[in-house]
Amino acid sequence: MDSDDLGLFGPGSVTWKVHEEPILIVAGLRSLYLQALHPRAMAGVAQSSNYRTDAWGRLVRTATYVATTVYGTTAEAEAAGARLRRLHGRLRATDTHTGEEFRIDEPDLLRWVHVTEVESFLSTARRAGLPLSDAEVDGYYTEQRRAAALVGLDPATVPGTAAEVAEYYGAVRPQLRMTREAAETAVFLTAPPLPWKLSLPVRLGLTLGPPRWAYLGIAGTAFGLLPPWAHRMYGGLGLPTTALSADLSVRALRLAFAAVPRRYLEGPLMQAAKERAARHAALAG
């Protein structure tokens, strides 16, 4: 395998266009609020992960995995997918409603996590102001079938257009509900323990210092970006004003990120991918 190839997507892909947006940090959190509404998926997370004791470590590992699939070489992306499949293949959980033991890597669960994640990435970027045509939207979902294959899904069973994503949500919604685990997870996502370096003000009694306020703003925006039906499941009204407020907030956050020099926002995997793309362009030229 070419160690200098452009990976699963490459420059010119809709995936690179979307994932260059730092605002996707909000999208990742939005997807977790959505995922928590699936009782079986939530049971799997609660019983087989240490997200409560290592929330930030889990976040970093997830972000690194996504960055590897998007910006790594083909070999790096496939190796990351193989590691994840081996991990999932060992894990089991118990359905809290039926008492049935199930595999974490059931296709229905993997599909739910995949769709909520990529739909959150796309819808958040678009609502933040990233210009995307309808064709690009469908192109992104189609491209992301490659990422779905890495976790063990048959790409043909994964929604590949905006219409198919909407149809999928409509089909799966009867399975969703607010559970105790979902409510606890939503509270945890909204106010998780800060990393130790940021928690010093908390230890000193400054419980709402700048890091906490900043995170609460991001979490509030992520929650506000949920679809109305998800707001209603969480006990809210899902009013149009909620969506409008979230849109204004996420656009303001995107503008704030735009003021930060790109070198501070681009991780090493993205930088390496752009360097490989520049070398390929120079050779082609």
Side-chain angles (χ1 to χ4, degrees):
M1 188 69 67
D2 185 358
S3 61
D4 201 40
D5 74 5
L6 297 177
L8 300 181
F9 307 105
S13 67
V14 189
T15 293
W16 273 33
K17 181 176 181 178
V18 170
H19 285 262
E20 281 188 331
E21 293 289 314
I23 199 65
L24 293 198
I25 186 174
V26 178
L29 194 53
R30 177 192 186 271
S31 73
L32 295 177
Y33 281 118
L34 266 181
Q35 290 167 19
L37 292 172
H38 193 300
R40 201 168 175 105
M42 189 64 253
V45 171
Q47 295 173 34
S48 65
S49 77
N50 59 347
Y51 80 96
R52 288 186 176 276
T53 57
D54 187 28
W56 297 99
R58 180 180 171 86
L59 176 64
V60 169
R61 290 190 293 273
T62 300
T64 300
Y65 175 80
V66 172
T68 301
T69 63
V70 171
Y71 292 111
T73 65
T74 301
E76 289 170 339
E78 290 178 346
R83 287 192 296 272
L84 191 63
R85 291 195 304 273
R86 286 195 296 271
L87 173 62
H88 286 166
R90 296 194 298 265
L91 299 177
R92 305 289 186 275
T94 301
D95 189 311
T96 55
H97 181 66
T98 66
E100 175 193 3
E101 184 179 79
F102 62 91
R103 294 173 60 101
I104 298 299
D105 59 357
E106 285 184 352
D108 285 349
L109 301 183
L110 295 177
R111 192 176 300 106
W112 168 249
V113 171
H114 171 82
V115 174
T116 54
E117 186 175 81
V118 299
E119 185 271 327
S120 290
F121 287 150
L122 186 65
S123 64
T124 298
R126 212 177 188 191
R127 290 172 70 175
L130 179 67
L132 291 169
S133 67
D134 291 343
E136 286 179 311
V137 169
D138 286 346
Y140 177 78
Y141 285 131
T142 300
E143 289 174 3
Q144 284 301 308
R145 283 174 161 171
R146 302 170 201 166
L150 290 179
V151 301
L153 284 167
D154 176 356
T157 69
V158 176
T161 65
E164 289 176 1
V165 169
E167 182 181 359
Y168 170 80
Y169 274 146
V172 80
R173 277 174 59 184
Q175 303 173 36
L176 308 181
R177 65 178 183 274
M178 172 60 81
T179 62
R180 178 175 58 83
E181 290 86 357
E184 291 175 349
T185 298
V187 171
F188 182 84
L189 290 172
T190 304
L194 291 173
W196 72 269
K197 288 184 179 180
L198 296 179
S199 67
L200 181 58
V202 176
R203 295 172 188 273
L204 296 176
L206 305 176
T207 56
L208 288 177
R212 177 66 74 188
W213 277 120
Y215 181 84
L216 285 173
I218 291 174
T221 300
F223 189 84
L225 290 171
L226 291 174
W229 56 261
H231 281 143
R232 290 191 292 270
M233 294 186 76
Y234 272 114
L237 298 177
L239 296 173
T241 52
T242 302
L244 176 60
S245 176
D247 285 345
L248 293 174
S249 295
V250 77
R251 285 175 179 267
L253 280 171
R254 183 170 183 251
L255 288 174
F257 281 128
V260 179
R262 292 292 302 183
R263 66 181 180 275
Y264 297 124
L265 299 174
E266 295 182 351
L269 286 163
M270 182 189 295
Q271 292 173 358
K274 289 187 173 183
E275 290 169 3
R276 292 196 305 276
R279 288 196 294 271
H280 276 255
L283 289 172

